[in-house]
Amino acid sequence: MEDIFTLTAREEIEIAIRLVLAAVFGAAVGYERRSSDKPAGLRTLSLVAGGSALFTIISAFGFETADQSRVAAQIVTGVGFLGAGTVLRSGTSTSGLTAAATIWATAAIGMAVGSGLYIASIGGTALMLAILYLFAPARNTDD
C-alpha cells in the first residue's frame, strides 16, 4: 500500500505552525469574550479554531483523490450545531447569538489558517476583534 503521508520536514513544520497560529487567533478572540464575561471564551474558541485548522489540513494532505471541499462544508455544518447550543430563547428574548456567531466565525479563521491563508486569517481575526470591541453593548459602571 502506498503511503500518502510523504511530507517533508518543512511541510510538517508549516503544518505545526498553522495549528499553533489557529489556536493563537482563536485565543485572541476568546480572550475578548472572557474579559467581557461572555460564554464561549478562551479555551472554547482556541479549540474551535485549532480543530477547524486541523480538519482543513487533514482534508488537504490526507485525502489525495477526495473532494477536499466536502470537509470544509462539514466543518461549517458541525460548528453551526455547536453554536446553536449557545442560543437560548425565553419568550420574546433571545441570548447567545453573538456567542454562536463568534464560534462560527472563529471556525472560519481556523479554516483560513489551515489552508495557509495567513493574511485572510489575520484580517479576519482583526475584524472580529474590532466588531466585538466597537459594537459591545454599554456596560453599567454605576454598581
Side-chain angles (χ1 to χ4, degrees):
M1 181 174 192
E2 185 180 327
D3 186 15
I4 61 171
F5 295 107
T6 55
L7 301 173
T8 65
R10 185 175 193 268
E11 290 170 327
E12 292 278 357
I13 290 169
E14 184 176 351
I15 287 170
I17 290 169
R18 288 180 188 187
L19 291 173
V20 170
L21 278 177
V24 167
F25 292 162
V29 177
Y31 179 78
E32 187 285 329
R33 301 298 293 161
R34 185 179 76 178
S35 65
S36 299
D37 273 341
K38 300 294 182 181
L42 197 65
R43 291 184 303 172
T44 302
L45 296 178
S46 292
L47 289 169
V48 167
S52 296
L54 184 57
F55 279 125
T56 302
I57 291 165
I58 290 168
S59 74
F61 293 99
F63 305 107
E64 205 168 89
T65 59
D67 179 8
Q68 297 170 357
S69 67
R70 293 177 68 184
V71 174
Q74 295 308 312
I75 293 170
V76 173
T77 302
V79 170
F81 278 104
L82 178 64
T86 66
V87 177
L88 299 173
R89 184 168 178 211
S90 177
T92 60
S93 175
T94 304
S95 65
L97 287 175
T98 302
T102 303
I103 290 169
W104 186 71
T106 303
I109 290 170
M111 291 172 65
V113 176
S115 298
L117 301 172
Y118 301 117
I119 303 298
S121 58
I122 291 168
T125 302
L127 181 62
M128 280 183 62
L129 289 171
I131 290 168
L132 289 169
Y133 279 115
L134 296 176
F135 301 126
R139 293 189 178 95
N140 186 2
T141 58
D142 295 336
D143 292 335

